[in-house]
Structures are given as structure tokens and as C-alpha cells.
Amino acid sequence: AHQRLEQILMSHAERSQALLDEQASLEHLLEQHQEREQELESLRSQADKVALLNSEVVQLSTELKDTSSKLMQVRSEYGSSQAECKTQHEQLEALRSELSAARESA
């Protein structure tokens, strides 16, 4: 009976150690899981920031296209105004020549 009791105690000790080992392993897995959850949350946060930045890039790209279009319009208007000024300048020079000629003949 004493030997049987020792066998039971040894078996119980072995099972207790196995359970302790399993508990330690599970705790380690839980720590790894928690670390991965934190990494995942960090990645989600970064993904949110990237999405926000992408949205801003799209908005800025649209604004840049609008500004570029307005700049092309202003350039066109400037070119037209410059051509008109040149024509008016030429007309003014012609009138000055006519005026000088009229003064000389008078």
C-alpha cells in the first residue's frame, strides 16, 4: 500500500508538473497573442493615417488640376492681352506718324 501511495504521489507530481509546463506554455502563447494584437492595432492606426493622407493627396491633386487649369486660362488671356496691346501700340505709332506728317504739311 505504501508503494502504491508513492506511485500515486509520483503520478500526481508528474501530472502537476505537466500541467505547470502546459500553463507556462499557454501563458507564453497568450503573451505572444497580446503582442500581435498590439502590432495589429498599430498597423490599423498606420493604415488609418495612410488612408487620411491618401484622401489629402487626392484633394490636393484636384486642387492642383484646378489651379493648373486656371493658370492656363490666365496665360491664354495674357497672350490675348499682349497681342491686343501690340496691335494698339502699332495703331498708336501709325497715328503718331500721320499726326507728324499732317503737322509738317500744315
Side-chain angles (χ1 to χ4, degrees):
H2 180 68
Q3 189 177 10
R4 177 69 183 134
L5 184 58
E6 281 183 19
Q7 287 176 340
I8 291 172
L9 287 174
M10 286 296 290
S11 175
H12 178 70
E14 289 171 0
R15 284 185 283 187
S16 291
Q17 186 59 49
L19 287 173
L20 288 173
D21 292 345
E22 187 175 344
Q23 180 181 2
S25 175
L26 289 172
E27 287 174 353
H28 180 69
L29 288 173
L30 179 60
E31 287 175 16
Q32 288 179 333
H33 177 71
Q34 289 170 339
E35 289 171 3
R36 287 194 178 106
E37 279 184 336
Q38 289 175 348
E39 291 172 3
L40 182 59
E41 187 57 37
S42 175
L43 289 173
R44 284 183 183 135
S45 176
Q46 290 175 6
D48 290 344
K49 290 176 185 175
V50 167
L52 182 60
L53 289 173
N54 281 340
S55 175
E56 290 178 17
V57 166
V58 168
Q59 181 181 351
L60 289 172
S61 176
T62 301
E63 290 175 12
L64 181 60
K65 286 177 186 175
D66 292 346
T67 301
S68 178
S69 177
K70 289 176 184 175
L71 178 59
M72 295 300 283
Q73 182 181 353
V74 167
R75 280 183 179 165
S76 175
E77 291 172 4
Y78 175 75
S80 296
S81 295
Q82 198 173 25
E84 187 178 327
C85 284
K86 184 179 178 185
T87 301
Q88 289 177 355
H89 180 72
E90 289 169 354
Q91 291 173 350
L92 182 58
E93 286 300 316
L95 288 173
R96 280 186 181 156
S97 292
E98 288 178 28
L99 182 59
S100 286
R103 282 185 182 156
E104 287 177 12
S105 65

